[in-house]
Amino acid sequence: MDQIAAHSPNLVANHDAHFEVGGETHEIPRYLFVGPKGGDTPIRVGIFAGIHGDEPEGVRAVIQFIKLLEANPELAAGYYLSFYPVCNPTGFEDGTRHSRSGKDLNREFWGNSSELEVQLLQAELVSHSFNGIIALHTDDTSDGFYGIVRGATLTKHLIEPALCAAEKFLPRDRRSVIDGFRARNGVIRDVYDGVLSAPPKVRPRPFEIILETPQAPPVYLKECALAIALKTILDEYRKFIAYAPNL
Ligand SMILES: [Zn+2]
């Protein structure tokens, strides 16, 4: 991504988010993709991957998605897209779900966590006041692609087209219970406490979507499914923003 950023008029790398674990310095890499000008105010969306270190699918999907945007910047028209491709750098290095301190970082948000990665990401979530938050995950217990929605009411209108688009590459998980939660047409509305999310008191709530790819399919299909779902969410949300002033 740094190689892309070095030659891109749209992509900016930011390597200032450092933290120390066990005497070693680590970094949560951050990238900003500035889309061509759209409406008045840029729409700020945060895209997070690799918070579970053993889920490289999301990390690679972000890279594929950035390449897609580089080739077609108009896909990001009107957007400021903040990418956090590796939210759990020590877990990613070790190939473990948890960070090196032994914590599942995706259960630690907004609960006074002492985990430095969580504190850094919380600071990003506060300072950027995102209009939308998308997190990418892998589920090794599912045979299909699915999503989890939270936040703004319109979120449910974003997930269905995204799952439809992903179905070109991977089947949808249509079970009535996924990961212990009730599900319908591949959509879950509940989550574990402490997942990466908007600051609790923020109003209006941004849209919040978690995309889950099954682990078993070939790498290429997983990356395409996640990337096309991201593209579709941006397309659909832009339509809402354009329509909203006329309501
Ligand atoms: Zn995960």
Side-chain angles (χ1 to χ4, degrees):
M1 286 181 67
D2 283 341
Q3 287 168 13
I4 298 171
H7 302 103
S8 169
N10 301 94
L11 187 68
V12 182
N14 182 325
H15 294 298
D16 294 334
H18 296 291
F19 63 99
E20 285 207 13
V21 175
E24 277 181 47
T25 302
H26 298 273
E27 178 206 335
I28 295 182
R30 299 175 292 176
Y31 297 86
L32 176 67
F33 190 94
V34 179
K37 202 165 168 5
D40 300 334
T41 324
I43 309 166
R44 299 174 309 280
V45 174
I47 296 166
F48 299 82
I51 192 149
H52 291 137
D54 60 349
E55 299 176 3
E57 288 81 359
V59 180
R60 289 198 291 252
V62 164
I63 297 169
Q64 292 304 329
F65 188 58
I66 297 258
K67 287 182 179 169
L68 181 70
L69 295 181
E70 278 297 314
N72 309 276
E74 71 282 1
L75 293 177
Y79 282 101
Y80 278 11
L81 302 175
S82 296
F83 289 95
Y84 304 85
V86 185
C87 293
N88 174 4
T90 59
F92 189 69
E93 257 183 58
D94 299 346
T96 57
R97 175 181 179 91
H98 293 179
S99 69
R100 203 164 288 165
S101 68
K103 289 276 174 62
D104 183 338
L105 300 180
N106 210 32
R107 301 288 181 272
E108 291 281 316
F109 280 81
W110 311 113
N112 295 316
S113 177
S114 53
E115 302 306 302
L116 300 173
E117 300 90 323
V118 172
Q119 291 176 9
L120 277 171
L121 290 166
Q122 286 182 174
E124 295 289 313
L125 289 158
V126 168
S127 65
H128 288 273
S129 55
F130 292 116
N131 303 104
I133 294 170
I134 307 171
L136 308 183
H137 285 267
T138 308
D139 187 341
D140 60 3
T141 69
S142 173
D143 293 327
F145 197 93
Y146 66 94
I148 301 159
V149 297
R150 310 179 71 195
T153 318
L154 67 81
T155 312
K156 60 175 180 284
H157 301 295
L158 305 176
I159 189 76
E160 176 58 31
L163 295 178
C164 251
E167 267 181 314
K168 292 187 189 103
F169 300 98
L170 292 176
R172 198 188 300 206
D173 187 337
R174 292 189 183 271
R175 291 175 296 165
S176 58
V177 177
I178 302 174
D179 197 20
F181 293 106
R182 280 181 49 196
R184 212 175 150 183
N185 296 326
V187 180
I188 300 175
R189 290 167 192 286
D190 302 301
V191 285
Y192 294 102
D193 285 338
V195 301
L196 189 154
S197 58
K201 288 180 182 159
V202 160
R203 297 290 183 281
R205 299 298 292 170
F207 73 80
E208 297 183 71
I209 295 175
I210 299 168
L211 297 173
E212 297 267 1
T213 175
Q215 191 187 46
V219 168
Y220 174 73
L221 293 178
K222 293 185 283 190
E223 290 178 6
C224 285
L226 285 168
I228 195 91
L230 287 174
K231 174 197 172 293
T232 305
I233 291 167
L234 298 186
D235 287 346
E236 294 295 317
Y237 188 66
R238 186 191 293 109
K239 284 187 213 162
F240 270 100
I241 292 295
Y243 179 63
N246 301 320
L247 288 177

